Amino acid sequence: MSEESRRGPVGVREAGPEDSEFLVDMLLEAFNWSGEERFTRKQILKDKSTSLYVAGWQRAGDIGVIAVDLAGPSGLQIPIGAAWLRQFPARNPGYGFVAEDVPELSMAVVPHQRGRGIGTGLVRSLMNRARDQGIRRISLSVEDGNPAMRLYSSLGFVEVGRNQNAATMVVSLDSPAQAVGK
């Protein structure tokens, strides 16, 4: 991809059922954030502890946003990142589970588009949508060394626990200081 298209305008739209395959792609990017292929698409979809983030998208309560490159050929909007929330029951928790009423955030941006603030924009947009739907807190899990930890901290997420080599982080959406980008 050329440097010029890398700097093309970016839009954000709601994620729908038609985005389920792209969310799998983004989940794969999130799990393989270091560039090392630790997981394959098949492994993610086969393993119940990872597939729960995308299986059956879009079910009641799921909220998601997709970043799109608006400079695609013939006006095509090319997906380049996603952020989504999903709630899990205590009997089948996600990696960043803190409570059944606290949805967990998943987010990734395609590698050649990283470093442009797209992830920050996605998470801010999702936080605002969640707040508008009455969600009070969001959790996530982020591995040690993942540069996204700085992004999450800058948006008000705080570490509330650890699971092996990963931090569980939570942000409160009740605080007016968290009303980002409105």
Side-chain angles (χ1 to χ4, degrees):
M1 179 164 275
S2 74
E3 191 65 24
E4 183 178 342
S5 64
R6 175 177 150 74
R7 296 199 174 130
V10 175
V12 176
R13 65 169 174 77
E14 299 285 333
E18 69 279 3
D19 294 305
S20 61
E21 288 298 314
F22 183 66
L23 293 183
V24 174
D25 294 342
M26 292 296 90
L27 187 61
L28 187 60
E29 288 294 337
F31 278 114
N32 293 328
W33 62 268
S34 69
E36 175 188 333
E37 185 181 61
R38 299 179 304 160
F39 294 88
T40 65
R41 184 182 190 87
K42 185 176 180 179
Q43 287 171 320
I44 282 178
L45 292 174
K46 191 174 180 179
D47 186 327
K48 289 182 182 178
S49 68
T50 54
S51 65
L52 59 84
Y53 289 94
V54 291
W57 178 267
Q58 182 175 35
R59 63 186 191 199
D62 288 349
I63 305 170
V65 290
I66 306 290
V68 292
D69 180 347
L70 298 173
S74 303
L76 186 65
Q77 294 185 5
I78 301 167
I80 57 173
W84 65 101
L85 296 176
R86 187 162 248 199
Q87 290 178 281
F88 302 113
R91 71 182 185 290
N92 190 25
Y95 290 106
F97 181 85
V98 294
E100 289 187 351
D101 66 339
V102 179
E104 190 171 336
L105 169 71
S106 300
M107 189 274 296
V109 174
V110 296
H112 67 274
Q113 294 284 352
R114 292 179 186 158
R116 298 182 58 202
I118 294 168
T120 301
L122 283 168
V123 176
R124 282 181 174 158
S125 179
L126 194 58
M127 288 170 68
N128 287 330
R129 284 171 170 78
R131 184 181 299 100
D132 291 347
Q133 291 191 25
I135 294 171
R136 300 182 64 206
R137 294 186 301 158
I138 296 171
S139 70
L140 60 83
S141 176
V142 60
E143 287 182 293
D144 295 338
N146 187 331
M149 191 174 286
R150 286 189 304 275
L151 177 155
Y152 300 134
S153 293
S154 75
L155 292 173
F157 283 84
V158 295
E159 187 172 327
V160 296
R162 298 210 45 90
N163 184 0
Q164 297 177 19
N165 67 334
T168 299
M169 301 180 83
V170 173
V171 67
S172 171
L173 301 180
D174 291 338
S175 166
Q178 295 303 324
V180 287
K182 277 213 163 195

